[in-house]
């Protein structure tokens, strides 16, 4: 996955101007209408593939909603609305960490511009998380919207997967160069990113921390999620899904049959589906570090560790944000000078910002896990955390809204529903947040 680029670009200056004006008006509208902004954040999380190239900037939907969140927060500050101490201190640490990464990038990155632009992208998404954390009355709306959008996207993934394999004409899908067949991405940057979203939000639906969903919806999700994940050709997301179900079962006093159910259905489905899609065979064979994408990932991890351990400075302070690909090219396309990708999140944190970053992020994760656990239960918080970490070992989404949505919700000042709010109220959550 590359940090910037891809998707449909605005090639004409006139169109670029229209997009700037239209985007600006949309930002102002969302900043003034918090419920719409909450829904916009959810949609932007699932729609990351489209991008408009406006001058030197690459603008995705999550940048637009993140900018609206920033304006909304600035409006709160101007009006002297109190921000709770936990959120203020937490995000102060996060912003100081981002500033630290900027300094390290300026000093050590091969291409400072690329590092800073991706870091700015992450800062915008972190600001969206800050906004979510200080609007606790919107957590119900956000979780509800995310679960329903996730179900819609999962069904779309299954449909597009079938369409691609039956017709050979791919829509919202890409050929799997390593294993064959089609991997579905719908509107996400890549198929493995979609898989992570489906996994996480399906776990949220099944766990139902706010008691918002019917048993029918949760059971339907239990069936649909693993099938949609298979359509993305992403093993780590399927493993993460099953692990999360096991943790939920243990936490709630029963070893759920749901995890076994998902496993059995997946294996039966694989035995049938591999006849039509050879790419699914990798699910049945497990990990094989002698070939396929595993050897590519394993090799990149070895190279990254070699860079990290080459000097004390690299180990302690890091080598610059998202800078691995600036030093190493993708070995799978030797004829193209394409940056390689270090998808292992813990290793990426160490590579980019050294042991300092690893410690800071560990503290932040523990703080938000403890806060979320005290409200929705430590079993649910742990299940979601383990699912995310399992996925992130193969695909890092550190700078995407996908990650920061979870941070914002976990850091919220108590998870509250919003069914009693009137749609015309543009300032929900403020009383509860003070």
């Amino acid at each position: 996955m590359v940090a910037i680029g891809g998707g449909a670009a605005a090639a004409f200056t006139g169109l670029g101007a229209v997009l700037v004006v239209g985007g600006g008006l949309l930002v102002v509208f969302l900043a003034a209408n918090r419920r719409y902004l909450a829904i916009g954040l959810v949609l932007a999380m699932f729609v990351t593939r489209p991008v408009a190239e406006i001058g030197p900037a690459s603008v995705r939907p999550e940048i637009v909603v993140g900018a609206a969140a920033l304006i909304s927060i600035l409006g709160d500050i101007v009006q002297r609305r109190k921000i709770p101490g936990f959120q203020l201190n937490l995000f102060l640490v996060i912003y100081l960490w981002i500033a630290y990464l900027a300094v390290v990038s300026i000093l050590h990155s091969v291409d400072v511009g690329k590092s800073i632009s991706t870091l700015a992208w992450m800062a915008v998404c972190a600001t969206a998380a800050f906004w979510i954390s200080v609007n606790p009355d919107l957590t119900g709306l956000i979780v509800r919207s995310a679960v329903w959008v996730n179900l819609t996207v999962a069904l779309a993934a299954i449909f597009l997967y079938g369409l691609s394999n039956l017709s050979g004409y791919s829509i919202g899908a890409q050929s799997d160069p390593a294993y064959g067949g089609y991997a579905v991405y719908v509107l996400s940057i890549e198929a493995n990113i979609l898989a992570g979203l489906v996994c996480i939000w399906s776990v949220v639906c099944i766990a139902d921390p706010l008691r918002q969903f019917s048993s029918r919806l949760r059971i339907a999700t239990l069936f649909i999620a693993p099938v949609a994940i298979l359509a993305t050709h992403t093993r780590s997301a399927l493993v993460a899904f099953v692990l999360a179900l096991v943790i939920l079962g243990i936490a709630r006093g029963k070893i759920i049959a749901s995890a076994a159910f998902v496993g059995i259905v997946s294996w039966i489905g694989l035995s049938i589906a591999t006849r039509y899609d050879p790419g699914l065979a990798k699910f049945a064979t497990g990990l094989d570090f002698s070939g396929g994408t595993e050897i590519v990932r394993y090799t990149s991890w070895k190279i990254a560790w070699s860079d990290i351990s080459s000097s004390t400075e690299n180990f302690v302070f890091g080598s610059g944000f998202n800078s691995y690909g600036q030093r190493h090219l993708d070995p799978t396309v030797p004829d193209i000078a394409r940056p390689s990708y270090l998808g292992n999140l813990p290793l990426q944190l160490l590579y980019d910002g050294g042991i300092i970053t690893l410690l800071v992020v560990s503290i932040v994760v523990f703080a938000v896990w403890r806060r979320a656990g005290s409200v929705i239960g430590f079993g649910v918080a742990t299940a979601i955390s383990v699912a995310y970490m399992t996925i992130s070992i193969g695909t890092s989404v550190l700078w995407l809204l996908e990650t920061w949505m979870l941070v914002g919700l976990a850091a919220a000042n108590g998870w509250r529903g919003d069914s009693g709010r009137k749609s015309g109220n543009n300032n929900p959550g403020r009383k509860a947040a003070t």
Side-chain angles (χ1 to χ4, degrees):
M1 182 182 70
V2 293
I4 301 292
F12 300 100
T13 303
L15 179 57
V18 170
L19 288 173
V20 169
V21 174
L25 292 174
L26 180 59
V27 166
V28 173
F29 171 78
L30 292 175
N33 296 272
R34 297 172 187 259
R35 290 177 65 85
Y36 288 115
L37 176 52
I39 295 172
L41 287 167
V42 170
L43 294 174
M45 180 172 57
F46 286 88
V47 182
T48 49
R49 195 171 185 87
V51 56
E53 304 288 353
I54 303 175
S58 298
V59 181
R60 299 180 191 273
E62 57 189 12
I63 301 297
V64 175
V65 293
L70 174 60
I71 292 175
S72 180
I73 290 173
L74 292 176
D76 291 345
I77 294 172
V78 169
Q79 295 179 44
R80 296 184 178 180
R81 292 194 176 99
K82 183 180 178 182
I83 296 176
F86 176 83
Q87 286 83 355
L88 186 61
N89 293 331
L90 175 71
F91 282 92
L92 177 60
V93 170
I94 289 173
Y95 287 128
L96 287 174
W97 167 60
I98 291 174
Y100 165 77
L101 288 175
V103 173
V104 173
S105 299
I106 291 170
L107 294 175
H108 298 295
S109 289
V110 177
D111 189 329
V112 176
K114 286 185 178 179
S115 290
I116 296 300
S117 64
T118 311
L119 191 59
W121 180 359
M122 186 175 76
V124 171
C125 292
T127 300
F130 189 17
W131 182 87
I132 292 169
S133 74
V134 296
N135 285 276
D137 280 9
L138 291 175
T139 54
L141 175 62
I142 291 172
V143 171
R144 242 186 352 263
S145 301
V147 164
W148 281 107
V149 171
N150 175 67
L151 182 63
T152 303
V153 170
L155 290 171
I158 295 170
F159 173 76
L160 293 175
Y161 174 76
L163 180 66
S164 298
N165 281 281
L166 291 174
S167 68
Y169 182 72
S170 60
I171 300 176
Q174 60 198 42
S175 297
D176 188 332
Y179 298 97
Y182 293 93
V184 178
Y185 56 79
V186 187
L187 290 172
S188 295
I189 296 177
E190 287 186 356
N192 48 10
I193 292 175
L194 172 62
L197 283 166
V198 171
C199 172
I200 294 295
W201 287 103
S202 295
V203 169
V204 171
C205 176
I206 294 166
D208 195 13
L210 299 183
R211 300 294 183 264
Q212 300 182 99
F213 309 118
S214 68
S215 57
R216 291 182 180 179
L217 175 62
R218 295 163 68 197
I219 292 172
T221 300
L222 191 63
F223 276 93
I224 294 168
V227 178
I229 291 171
L230 286 173
T232 67
H233 284 200
T234 307
R235 285 169 292 187
S236 61
L238 187 60
V239 172
F241 186 62
V242 175
L243 284 176
L245 292 180
V246 171
I247 293 170
L248 285 175
I250 294 173
R252 291 181 173 176
K254 52 184 180 180
I255 305 296
I256 351 190
S258 56
F261 165 79
V262 170
I264 293 170
V265 169
S266 297
W267 289 116
I268 293 175
L270 279 171
S271 64
I272 298 172
T274 47
R275 300 179 183 179
Y276 305 95
D277 181 1
L280 294 179
K282 66 178 180 179
F283 286 91
T285 57
L287 295 177
D288 176 14
F289 287 100
S290 63
T293 56
E294 295 97 322
I295 189 63
V296 175
R297 285 193 173 96
Y298 179 65
T299 301
S300 70
W301 300 346
K302 286 178 62 178
I303 295 172
W305 177 249
S306 177
D307 288 350
I308 293 168
S309 59
S310 63
S311 73
T312 302
E313 187 177 13
N314 288 348
F315 180 78
V316 175
F317 300 107
S319 304
F321 191 70
N322 194 34
S323 63
Y324 176 81
Q326 298 171 15
R327 296 180 177 87
H328 307 285
L329 297 178
D330 188 343
T332 63
V333 282
D335 297 333
I336 304 174
R338 187 171 72 186
S340 188
Y341 169 58
L342 183 59
N344 187 314
L345 177 57
L347 191 60
Q348 179 196 353
L349 291 171
L350 186 60
Y351 190 97
D352 292 354
I355 196 67
I356 293 175
T357 277
L358 206 55
L359 290 174
V360 170
V361 171
S362 297
I363 292 170
V364 169
V365 169
F366 177 75
V368 297
W369 170 81
R370 187 175 65 174
R371 187 173 187 83
S374 66
V375 179
I376 64 176
F378 287 102
V380 175
T382 301
I384 295 171
S385 300
V386 168
Y388 178 86
M389 288 305 301
T390 302
I391 293 164
S392 70
I393 290 174
T395 304
S396 171
V397 290
L398 178 61
W399 51 77
L400 295 181
L401 187 56
E402 176 178 344
T403 293
W404 293 96
M405 178 71 75
L406 296 177
V407 174
L409 289 172
N413 190 30
W415 285 36
R416 299 179 175 88
D418 61 340
S419 56
R421 291 282 173 185
K422 295 180 180 180
S423 59
N425 183 1
N426 291 331
N427 188 29
R430 199 46 60 189
K431 181 178 179 180
T434 58

